[in-house]
Structures are given as structure tokens and as C-alpha cells.
Amino acid sequence: MTENTITAMQLVKEYGHRTAVAGINLVVDRGRCVGIVGRNGAGKSTTMRMLTTVTRPTSGSLRIFGLDPLRRSREIKRRLGVVPQSNTLDDDLTAVQNLEIYGRYFGADRRQSQHAAREALEFAQLSDRANDDVSTLSGGMKRRLTIARATVNDPDLILMDEPTAALDAQTKHLVWTALGDLCLLGKTVLLMSHDMEEVQMLCDYVYIMEEGRFIAEGRPCELIERYCRPARLDVVIDQPGSVDWNALLEDASVEVNRTARGVAIEVDNGQRALELLRSSPASYVASTLRPTTLEDVYLRITGRSAD
Amino acid sequence: MLLARVIEAYWRSMRRSWIAEAVPSVAQPVILMAVFAGLLARQVSEHVSDWGAPATFGYAQYAAIGIACSSGVLAGAMEATHSAYSGFRFNEKFKTIVTTPVSARVLALGLLSVAFIESAALTAALLLLATPVLAGSGLVWLLPFMLVSGLACTAVSAALCAIIALHHKTPQILNITGRVALFPLMLFSATYFPSTVLPGWLRYLPDAFPLIHANVTLRALYAGHWRVLPVNLAVLVAWSVVGGSAMIWAFGRELHR
């Protein structure tokens, strides 16, 4: 039987009159990679702070490894790896020293912490930069080092808060490879992110968070199936509002959404829709057909407004 | 054990720059001692006392004890103040540390310990450098009492800064604490002259802070007057406990919210 690494029931966190987390139920099975997606301020970081046992929930029940965080915080922390959103490496130290010191916080002796640091650097493909000052590393290397740091105590559960925020495309893919390797190693990973591509690629199960609540949950492919049509047609146009898309696509039920330079239309049969568009007299600049993604699900559920 | 790990981490982080910190920390009080205990002392013919008994030594000894004590304990206070402030302003680093088995309480005590060790080392060095002026058997009693004084001042300053930084994390807070609180405190806490020369209420204001209790008691001990020890020691121990507890509370409040 699979053991639940995290079980949260009706978890609430209030700061005065403001409710940051409004009664969430969260179950993370051992060995799974689970994602929580949501916009900034949705309550992801507060949830993460409760799961790291640093912040006490206002109400609700929380068990991590079957333990009560209020009573057995230190035991839980020994089995946690945490990747915070911002860079919290010590710039005055080298890469390997950062990892050694972190390992020492978990009670490792000097030799153990040195060994664990070397292994973690190898995992992050940073062995050749071990003795370089952190300040000389690129943003992507620092991020990989931060992820490596979260593995020095050989944790059972790794919590990540926006691991690839503000990284360039190449670096993102390097970090994703490292995260994928963690999943392959059988680590339980909880990923907080607003990068839908990242979550869809890495996570087995996803919770969508909005205003402190989970408003949808499921496997990424299930969510796509449940909330979206299979394909999305993006059309770049030069004259807004000049085309009746429902008539053109011979489907009155398709939903047309504005994009930066045109419209996005979700359809059941992408190839048929593309053919209808190409054979129509409608004026457009370009068109792209692609499968719908978790981002489409997210925008469908939470709306396109920034508020 | 975790407390030792916090101290070790701090030391490893700062050891590259310790000379840059240590040189001015020693040089500044040495210059002050040379000026006050050397040059100014020649202008002061009277014996000076601030512990309620006839003075048995001159201004050179008076100033040397005050400068060594104030510099030592305030170095610890500044170090702890800076650590607490920067830890709260850039608190993601502290927040990450408390996701490990190191708690906010252990982290606060670790920072306090680092500042105390720095204060103790500087105090010992300054007493050693002051031996040409402070010869005599009374010197033996100064170091342990200065360590207690250092702990009290360090704990109070760090706690004060941490509590202020809970609500105001602007860079000005450190300047305000240093210039408006610590520097005048050093001037009015019987470091260079007895508080009896201060006008009106200003005479009693420094009594509320630990430094004056340290200075007055140290001079009394040096002169062999033990009568003032119990009360002042109790005040400093009380300040250490209150300051340390307040600092731990502030760290918990900041890092566990």
C-alpha cells in the first residue's frame, strides 16, 4: 500500500483578518511529483511554509510522514529538502562550502557533510565549479546549486517554490532535467509554480490554487480533457472583429478568446478547423494549431483577468 | 550541537573578512585610549570617581577602563544588531535555515553567541593593550565582569534592533540604532566622564541601560570596592535574560509567521 507523505485536511492559515489559505485538502503519495499552480498571492508560498513546519496552521489537520508538525517538527525537518523561491545561497562561500554547511545543519559530521556535498554537486553537474565562489556562478548554476543543496540530507520529500522563476529557456530545461532525475530517484516532490509547462511536464498530479483554495485537481491530462477541447487554433489577424469565427468553423459552441495579436479558438477537430480557415475568405496573417495544455485549463478556470 | 553548527556556519562565512573587521575594532579604541588616557589625562589633575567612594586612581585609569569596556561590549552589540537587522531585512536566508532542524530560537542564540565571542575577544585584547595604564591586581577582576557586561549589552541591542526590524526593515534602521542610540549611550554612560556631571534628568537616563552599570562597577572593582558588585551584576544579568528572551521572541515572530 502507498504511504501518504503529506495529508492535509481543511488546512487554514489566517493573518489577522486576511485568509491566505482557506481550507485546503492535499494528499501527496510517496514517490510522486505533485504540483500546486496558481498566480502570485494565491497562497502557494504560505502552504509551503506550513508544509515545512515553519508556519503554524490556524486550523485544520496536517500530517507529514504521518507525523504531527506541531509536535515533531524537528523529526520532519530532518527528512525535508527545501528549494526556496529566491536565492538564499551564501555569496561569501564557495559552492561546496554552501552545501557542507547546509548538511551540517542536519547533524552530519564533517566527513559526512563533505561526502554528501560532493555527491550533490555531481548530481547538479557542478563538480567542476565546486571551489568557485557562489558570486561567480551564473543564475542557472545558482539555481541548480540550490536544488543540489536540498538533496544533501538525502530527503524523502522535496518542496520547491518556483524553481525556475526568471531563468532563461536553456537553463530552465537543465533545471527540469535535474528535477526529473529527482523523481526518477523515487523522491517525493511537491512543486509550487506558476509555470504551467513545467508542471505539466514534471507532475503526476496537479492542484490549481486560487484565493487560498484548490479550485481544481487531477492528473494534467485529465484536467485538459475535463476543461478543454483537444486542440487550439491560434490565428494572427490584422483587422480585429472582422470575422465571425463560429460561422467560419461551422460550430456555434466554440469559444473565441482574444490574444495579443489575434484570437485563440479551442476546437474538437484541429485539422478540420485549420482546413476551414484556409479555405475561407477570412483575412489573417498566420495560424498555428497545437494540442491544448495545462495553461489553457488554468486560464479557462481562473479567467484571464490579472485580479 | 545545532547551536555550534550555527556558530560554525557564521564563522566560515565571515572568516575571509575578519581582519577587515578586527583591525578597526582594535585600532579605534587604542586611538581613543591614547588620546583620553594619555593626552587628555595630563590636563585632568583630579582623581575621578563614579561609584560613591573616594577615588584612588587618576583620569588615565578612569578613561582606559571606560574605553576598553565600552568598545568591547559595543562591538558585540553592533555585531548582533547588524546580524539581526540584515537577517530580518534579507530574511529569506534565515527563513531557509529554519526549514532545517535549526529553529529560530537556536538561530537567535547562535547569532548572539557569535557577537558575544567577538565582544569577549576584543575585550581581552583591549585589556591587554591597556596594561601599561592599568597595572595592578584589580585588573584580574575586570575580564569576567566585562564578559557579563558584553553579554548584557549585546542581548539588549540585538533585541531592540530585532523588535524594531519586525516593523521597519528600511536600511535607515541600522543607522538610527547606531547613531541615535548606541553612540550617545557610550558618551553618557560614564565612559569618558562621570554621569554626575550631566545636567538634570540626563544624569539618570543612562541608568536604564546596561553600559553605565558595567563601567561604574569595573572601576570600583579595579579600586577594590566590591560593595557595588551585587546590584550592578544583578542588573546586567537581568538585562541579559530580558534581552536574550526578547531576541528569541522576535526571531520566532519573524521567521515562523
Side-chain angles (χ1 to χ4, degrees):
Chain A
M1 201 177 89
T2 313
E3 175 196 304
N4 289 342
T5 301
I6 301 172
T7 311
M9 302 299 289
Q10 289 302 310
L11 203 61
V12 173
K13 181 64 189 177
E14 291 170 347
Y15 294 103
H17 296 298
R18 190 175 68 83
T19 303
V21 175
I24 57 170
N25 296 324
L26 171 70
V27 176
V28 178
D29 295 336
R30 191 170 63 179
R32 297 284 182 181
C33 180
V34 173
I36 299 180
V37 297
R39 62 182 97 198
N40 294 330
K44 302 189 299 294
S45 295
T46 305
T47 303
M48 173 141 163
R49 288 181 59 71
M50 286 192 281
L51 297 177
T52 55
T53 80
V54 169
T55 293
R56 183 184 281 252
T58 307
S59 65
S61 146
L62 177 62
R63 291 287 180 277
I64 300 165
F65 310 121
L67 305 173
D68 181 356
L70 298 181
R71 296 204 178 110
R72 299 171 75 176
S73 166
R74 191 176 284 190
E75 246 174 287
I76 293 169
K77 284 174 170 183
R78 284 191 192 285
R79 297 170 65 185
L80 284 185
V82 176
V83 178
Q85 193 172 347
S86 52
N87 171 27
T88 57
L89 297 165
D90 194 329
D91 284 344
D92 292 327
L93 298 175
T94 63
V96 70
Q97 285 172 339
N98 262 281
L99 303 192
E100 281 173 18
I101 281 178
Y102 202 73
R104 301 273 284 154
Y105 288 147
F106 289 89
D109 63 29
R110 206 171 285 273
R111 186 176 291 182
Q112 285 170 333
S113 68
Q114 284 170 351
H115 179 71
R118 296 282 167 191
E119 276 195 341
L121 282 172
E122 208 170 303
F123 161 76
Q125 297 176 39
L126 287 169
S127 297
D128 56 330
R129 306 297 299 265
N131 296 314
D132 290 358
D133 285 351
V134 163
S135 55
T136 66
L137 301 182
S138 68
M141 286 176 180
K142 284 180 185 172
R143 209 68 196 129
R144 273 151 58 205
L145 186 62
T146 305
I147 292 169
R149 189 181 63 176
T151 67
V152 289
N153 57 320
D154 191 21
D156 296 317
L157 169 64
I158 301 176
L159 300 162
M160 302 194 181
D161 197 0
E162 311 285 1
T164 57
L167 292 183
D168 60 59
Q170 283 87 350
T171 312
K172 254 188 195 181
H173 280 270
L174 271 175
V175 171
W176 287 344
T177 306
L179 298 186
D181 288 346
L182 285 176
C183 298
L184 290 175
L185 286 170
K187 303 287 181 194
T188 308
V189 176
L190 183 63
L191 178 65
M192 317 277 175
S193 182
H194 48 57
D195 187 322
M196 303 300 153
E197 187 186 358
E198 175 173 281
V199 173
Q200 187 175 345
M201 184 185 297
L202 293 168
C203 295
D204 304 305
Y205 200 85
V206 181
Y207 292 86
I208 296 179
M209 195 169 201
E210 182 81 347
E211 294 179 349
R213 296 176 196 280
F214 290 150
I215 54 171
E217 64 179 272
R219 291 173 169 275
C221 55
E222 285 171 2
L223 288 173
I224 293 167
E225 212 168 288
R226 197 185 313 159
Y227 291 100
C228 296
R229 297 182 188 218
R232 176 174 142 157
L233 182 64
D234 283 288
V235 186
V236 179
I237 52 177
D238 45 12
Q239 290 174 332
S242 59
V243 182
D244 180 350
W245 295 100
N246 295 92
L248 188 150
L249 298 172
E250 300 172 354
D251 186 347
S253 66
V254 292
E255 192 180 316
V256 181
N257 286 303
R258 272 281 318 266
T259 59
R261 294 192 55 204
V263 293
I265 311 156
E266 277 177 32
V267 292
D268 290 320
N269 187 334
Q271 281 304 328
R272 167 91 179 124
L274 196 57
E275 281 164 18
L276 287 170
L277 174 68
R278 283 178 181 161
S279 59
S280 76
S283 165
Y284 66 96
V285 178
S287 64
T288 320
L289 181 66
R290 63 163 176 80
T292 43
T293 63
L294 194 61
E295 182 161 317
D296 299 313
V297 173
Y298 179 75
L299 291 173
R300 166 68 51 88
I301 296 174
T302 61
R304 289 168 185 274
S305 140
D307 299 327
Chain B
M1 188 179 74
L2 286 174
L3 182 64
R5 299 290 161 87
V6 174
I7 296 169
E8 177 197 338
Y10 203 87
W11 166 243
R12 288 182 78 167
S13 179
M14 69 186 282
R15 69 180 165 188
R16 284 189 193 177
S17 58
W18 76 272
I19 291 179
E21 296 222 1
V23 168
S25 296
V26 174
Q28 188 177 313
V30 166
I31 292 167
L32 284 172
M33 275 197 226
V35 170
F36 281 85
L39 302 176
L40 187 64
R42 290 182 199 167
Q43 311 297 315
V44 181
S45 55
E46 295 168 25
H47 281 197
V48 190
S49 164
D50 54 11
W51 63 89
T56 54
F57 53 72
Y59 185 72
Q61 286 79 22
Y62 183 96
I65 291 171
I67 291 167
C69 174
S70 301
S71 303
V73 302
L74 289 182
M78 289 299 284
E79 176 64 47
T81 303
H82 181 262
S83 298
Y85 163 75
S86 58
F88 278 35
R89 179 161 163 74
F90 310 104
N91 63 11
E92 289 304 321
K93 279 190 183 175
F94 278 6
K95 282 184 174 176
T96 304
I97 292 175
V98 296
T99 63
T100 71
V102 175
S103 64
R105 183 174 63 90
V106 172
L107 185 59
L109 286 174
L111 295 177
L112 210 54
S113 303
V114 169
F116 173 65
I117 292 166
E118 196 176 315
S119 162
L122 182 61
T123 297
L126 291 177
L127 279 180
L128 200 66
L129 289 168
T131 46
V133 183
L134 298 177
S137 57
L139 190 60
V140 177
W141 302 107
L142 300 191
L143 184 61
F145 192 78
M146 279 170 97
L147 296 184
V148 179
S149 309
L151 185 59
C153 288
T154 298
V156 170
S157 308
L160 196 65
C161 184
I163 290 168
I164 294 170
L166 278 177
H167 306 287
H168 302 283
K169 292 185 174 65
T170 55
Q172 288 80 8
I173 194 73
L174 200 63
N175 265 340
I176 292 170
T177 312
R179 291 182 182 178
V180 179
L182 292 181
F183 181 65
L185 195 63
M186 186 172 176
L187 276 181
F188 299 150
S189 292
T191 302
Y192 304 106
F193 48 83
S195 60
T196 47
V197 304
L198 291 170
W201 60 271
L202 200 54
R203 189 180 301 176
Y204 304 103
L205 182 68
D207 286 345
F209 299 96
L211 184 56
I212 193 166
H213 299 278
N215 280 332
V216 169
T217 312
L218 280 166
R219 293 192 186 102
L221 291 179
Y222 183 68
H225 293 268
W226 289 74
R227 189 173 48 81
V228 297
L229 181 64
V231 172
N232 287 306
L233 185 61
V235 169
L236 291 172
V237 170
W239 269 122
S240 304
V241 173
V242 170
S245 306
M247 188 178 171
I248 288 168
W249 172 82
F251 268 64
R253 176 85 195 274
E254 174 68 11
L255 299 176
H256 289 306
R257 62 171 131 197

